[in-house]
């Protein structure tokens, strides 16, 4: 098991290996919130840039592919080298912003208003789960963490399988369809993505309590952004399935 969080970017082993640093400023929840705000601002700036280019008639497919690949590589580096987070997370946010802006504009071209709906739903879910976590309505117990992690890992395996089979022209049944089963699968994935936020909140709180180094605030912001991007994309896909049935 990766640790306390289902998010592979956030796991307890990360904080354990950072405890050896002494004489440094320590991670705080407020500091992580500030870094998350900065990171999301950069992401939105990149997204609006790609969005504007798309609706000005430019081909943004290169930004979608380039942003996704750059983000993937940077995510791997950040995950293995948390000390590099203050320098790489802003670049990662920009790359993800370009990717999200490009695909969001593509969806918007097909279904007017869908991106605003997806963004508002993502924000609403984030706020609702944050309040539920702060008031302890939802508790990140060990069984809860294990269940969410197992579900997240299962989804990752299915997506990987879908990608590999897609290279040979084979599609995984229902995963991308707008049938009732396909919509039900998307709903489940959205729920699992949302529940990862609870694990992220718990993990960041745990890291602050352990006194992780200050740069881990950027790492915590990175982990939250990974989950929020995943949640937004899954909501976008779900809404597109629903809209395509009309």
């Amino acid at each position: 098991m990766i640790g306390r969080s289902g998010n592979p970017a956030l796991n307890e082993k990360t904080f354990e290996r950072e405890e050896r640093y002494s004489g440094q400023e320590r991670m705080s929840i407020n500091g992580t919130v500030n870094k998350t705000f900065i990171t999301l601002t950069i992401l939105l700036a990149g997204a609006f840039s790609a969005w504007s280019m798309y609706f000005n008639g430019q081909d943004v497919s290169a930004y979608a592919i380039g942003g996704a690949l750059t983000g993937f590589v940077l995510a791997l580096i950040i995950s293995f080298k948390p000390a590099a987070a203050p320098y790489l997370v802003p670049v990662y946010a920009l790359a993800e912003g370009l990717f999200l802006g490009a695909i969001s504009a593509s969806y918007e071209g097909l279904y007017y208003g869908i991106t605003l709906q997806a963004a508002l739903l993502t924000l609403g879910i984030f706020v609702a789960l944050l309040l539920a976590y702060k008031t302890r309505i939802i508790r990140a117990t060990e069984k809860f963490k294990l269940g969410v992690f197992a579900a997240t890992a299962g989804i990752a395996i299915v997506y990987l399988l879908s990608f590999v089979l897609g290279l040979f022209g084979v599609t995984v049944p229902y995963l991308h369809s707008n049938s009732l089963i396909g919509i039900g699968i998307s709903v489940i994935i959205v729920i699992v993505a949302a529940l990862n936020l609870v694990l992220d909140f718990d993990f960041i709180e745990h890291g602050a309590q352990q006194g992780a180094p200050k740069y881990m605030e950027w790492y915590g912001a990175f982990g939250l952004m990974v989950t929020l991007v995943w949640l937004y994309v899954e909501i976008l896909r779900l809404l597109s399935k629903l809209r395509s049935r009309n």
Side-chain angles (χ1 to χ4, degrees):
M1 183 174 174
I2 283 186
R4 295 180 64 89
S5 176
N7 185 339
L10 297 178
N11 60 82
E12 190 173 58
K13 296 298 182 183
T14 301
F15 285 124
E16 288 178 356
R17 68 172 177 260
E18 301 307 327
E19 286 179 352
R20 65 182 182 274
Y21 293 92
S22 59
Q24 297 183 7
E25 285 188 86
R26 294 300 175 179
M27 177 184 184
S28 69
I29 293 177
N30 287 339
T32 305
V33 170
N34 292 336
K35 303 304 188 300
T36 301
F37 178 79
I38 294 171
T39 301
L40 290 177
T41 300
I42 295 172
L43 183 145
L44 289 175
F48 282 125
S49 296
W51 175 282
S52 299
M53 286 186 283
Y54 178 90
F55 285 105
N56 283 330
Q58 299 182 45
D59 183 7
V60 295
S61 58
Y63 292 99
I65 298 172
L69 292 176
T70 302
F72 177 74
V73 172
L74 290 176
L76 289 178
I77 297 173
I78 295 168
S79 296
F80 287 102
K81 294 290 184 181
Y87 313 103
L88 296 184
V89 170
V91 182
Y92 172 83
L94 181 60
E96 285 295 286
L98 292 172
F99 163 71
L100 285 183
I103 65 168
S104 295
S106 299
Y107 275 104
E108 186 72 16
L110 294 173
Y111 310 108
Y112 177 75
I114 192 172
T115 51
L116 179 60
Q117 292 175 339
L120 291 177
L121 283 171
T122 301
L123 177 61
I125 291 172
F126 175 81
V127 172
L129 287 177
L130 179 59
L131 290 175
Y133 176 76
K134 293 293 289 184
T135 57
R136 298 301 188 239
I137 294 176
I138 295 179
R139 295 179 181 273
T141 64
E142 292 305 319
K143 289 184 178 179
F144 180 90
K145 296 170 191 173
L146 180 60
V148 174
F149 172 76
T152 303
I155 292 169
I157 292 172
V158 171
Y159 273 143
L160 179 61
L161 181 63
S162 174
F163 174 76
V164 173
L165 291 177
L167 297 176
F168 300 95
V170 180
T171 59
V172 176
Y174 305 115
L175 184 61
H176 304 292
S177 75
N178 65 350
S179 65
L180 291 179
I181 295 178
I183 291 173
I185 291 173
S186 285
V187 169
I188 293 172
I189 295 175
V190 167
I191 292 173
V192 173
L195 292 178
N196 269 273
L197 288 171
V198 177
L199 304 192
D200 295 342
F201 298 149
D202 176 74
F203 184 72
I204 291 170
E205 183 179 52
H206 180 71
Q209 291 172 350
Q210 283 193 334
K214 189 72 172 177
Y215 61 76
M216 293 297 288
E217 293 175 352
W218 283 103
Y219 194 80
F222 161 69
L224 266 180
M225 185 171 58
V226 169
T227 301
L228 286 172
V229 168
W230 179 33
L231 177 60
Y232 169 79
V233 171
E234 293 299 343
I235 290 176
L236 198 59
R237 292 182 67 246
L238 173 59
L239 291 176
S240 69
K241 289 182 179 182
L242 294 171
R243 294 278 287 269
S244 66
R245 290 176 62 88
N246 296 334

